[in-house]
Structures are given as C-alpha cells and as structure tokens.
Amino acid sequence: VSKQMLDQVLRELQPLCTAEQQFIEKFFHLSQNTTGLQEMEVSMRTSWPQHQCSSPFNCLLFFFNLRLEDPTTRLLSEIFSSLEPELRGFLVVCNKIHPFSCLQVLVTLNDSIFEMWGSSSAPPSSFLNTVLGNMLLLAKSSFNKCIGTLCKEIEEAKAPSKMKGGILPSVSRFEEFVNFSEEAFRTAQRRGELDKAHLRLADSVFSSINSLSSASLKVNTDMVMMENFHHIHCFLCQKKIHCLEGKKREAKERYSEHMEKYVIKYLGQPLEKLNHFFEGVKARVAQGVKEEEVSFQLAYSKQELRKVIERYPGKEVKRALETLYRKIHKYLSPEENLLPVVWHAMEQKLIRQYQELENLIQRCYAGSGITMDFTMEDLLNYFNSITLSN
C-alpha cells in the first residue's frame, strides 16, 4: 500500500513541479544558459556504471547541491516549503507500518529519479530532483538502519530452550527478509544496496548457526547445524541470487561437514566395543609392534578378540541398528527430509568400518579362524530390511 501511495504522489508531483518551474522561469525571465549543467547531467547519466564516486547516492547529492544555487530552485523552495517535511513524515509513517517497508520506499524513489533523468520529454524540475534526492538519502539511511538492526537480531537470536531440532528462528528470519526484498526489488533498475544487505545478513545467519551451544539444545548440535545449513542451501538454490552464490556453496560444504560429524558420532554405537578393541590394535601397530605379534599382547589376544566378537551376534547388531534408526527418525525434522540421506551415509560408513575390521583380523590374527558373526551381505540386508519396514 505504501509503495502504491508513494508512486501516485511522485507521478502527480513531477508534472506539477515542472509546470511551476517553467512558469516561474518565463514570468520572471529567469531562464538562463544551463548548458553546463545539462552537459554534466548527461555525462553523469552515461558514465555512472564506471563513475569514481563512492556511490551513486553521493553523486546525486553532489549534483543536487550544485542546483541549489539556481534562483528558480530557491523560489520553488519557498512556494513548496511544506513538501519536503510532508514527504519526510510520510516515510516515517511507512517505516512504522512494516519493518521492511523502507525497501519498497528505496526502490520507488530510486526508480523514480532515474526515470525522470532518463526521460526524453521535458526535463524534470531541478527543485523536485533536489527534494527527491534528499528523500532518497533518507530512505537509504532507513534501509541501512533496518539491515543493521536485523543483523543484530539474527546474531543474538537464541535457540528455543525446548528445541529438539528443526529450523532455527534466525534462519527463518533471514528467509523472510530475502523473500520480501526479492519481491520488492523484482522490477528495480538497480539492486547494489540489496546485494550488500544480502551478504551482510548471510554472514550474520551463518555466524548465528556457528555459535550454537550444545548446552542450549536438547539434541545433537551437529544434527541441528546440518539441517539448518541444508535448509539455507536449498533455499538459495531456489532463489538463484547471484551475489549469494558463494554463500550457497559454503552452506553446502557446512551441511556436508556436519552430516559427516553426525554420522561418525552415532555410528560408533552399533559396534562400539569392537571398534574400541581395534583402535587399541592399531595403536600397538603404530607403536612398532608387528602385526603378526599383536595377538601375543595380553589385552589383544585371540581369546580377548573372541570375547568382544561374541558381544555382537548378527541379531544384536540388527537390533542396535533398528534402535538407531528410530532415534534418528525421532529427532530429524520431517520438513528437511534428510532421514534417507543420513541413513544411507550411515550405511556406507558402517560398511567401510566392517571392511576395515575384517582386514585387521586377517592381518593381525591370520590363521586363527576368527570371524565376525555376520557377513557383509548380512549387514546390507539389515539396512534394507529396516528401510523397507519404516
């Protein structure tokens, strides 16, 4: 609504101010040689993409200040003395209506000024250009303030005390802003300010996720970070925002990194004591004990290995995997649909683990006839059976 009202105000102001300026110049014989200003105006319009000003807004301010010395502008400032205060008041009201309305105001003012400058019809009122330039700078200031406040809100956001997983409030807030801003800037002629804001907010939301403390969550921190980085990656894939391509790749890397940590943390459970036993075996070999002599170490004798293997009959391994699946299913949020991905990663990890254990038995306990109670085929069948039954 505020955008439509501002559009209407600007459409009505331009012909009014232009007509008044033309009348004053004619009536008071104030028309003068404005070739210098016109040439500067054309030059700035055509060279802005490569202009050395710190920003287009600074260029606008510089040009508008030059025109303040124009006697026509001084007269119009007296006639329309209430225009700028009224417009300022309108922008204040817009900011109160919606926290992100400053985006729509910025786009509307920006586009309006550039359309006037690019118009082939009668030149717009220099007075109106000056007023709108001031409003544009005010809108930019409100926009920067809005982004700063939002960054702080995202960085300081706390995970709900009873949170058991799912998408964090800071991620949802980032997504809300991006959706709103992309719609507001959908037809904008320039989006440099928005791209800067997107990058600032992306840094803030990544920082917010990274600062998660396991003490503040009821579930595994890596699981929550995995889900949230996955959510951001999918969201950015959908939005296709050029300036956030780097952040999209980073989100994918972080998602993969935390899924790996999550899988490693939970995969130790199905064969925990067996893994612990062979960690000791590998440590002895690393210390210089020959592989064929490991079995003569008291703690790693053939008898001790058999005792550990007896703890893991096939049916117990399958039961442990079923328990693990239910636990993962309970805590992973259904919205992200990561259960099949995580479960497959766990299957691959356990298969590699099994192959490593078999290899160590063959090398360090050769000729002993010791084998695990279940085979690789059995292990694959356990995973398939659990997947199909759920």
Side-chain angles (χ1 to χ4, degrees), residues 18-36:
T18 300
E20 190 69 22
Q21 175 173 322
Q22 291 171 344
F23 169 76
I24 288 174
E25 289 175 344
K26 183 177 181 181
F27 187 83
F28 292 105
H29 303 287
L30 292 176
S31 58
Q32 52 187 298
N33 182 9
T34 58
T35 303

Side-chain angles (χ1 to χ4, degrees), residues 139 277 347:
F277 180 89
E347 178 182 11

Side-chain angles (χ1 to χ4, degrees), residues 76 112 114 135 186 192 253 266 280 286-287 365 374 380 386-387:
L76 287 168
S112 178
F114 284 108
M135 292 306 99
R186 183 167 50 85
E253 291 170 3
Y266 280 86
Q287 291 168 3
Y365 300 88
F374 56 95
L380 290 171
I386 294 169
T387 303

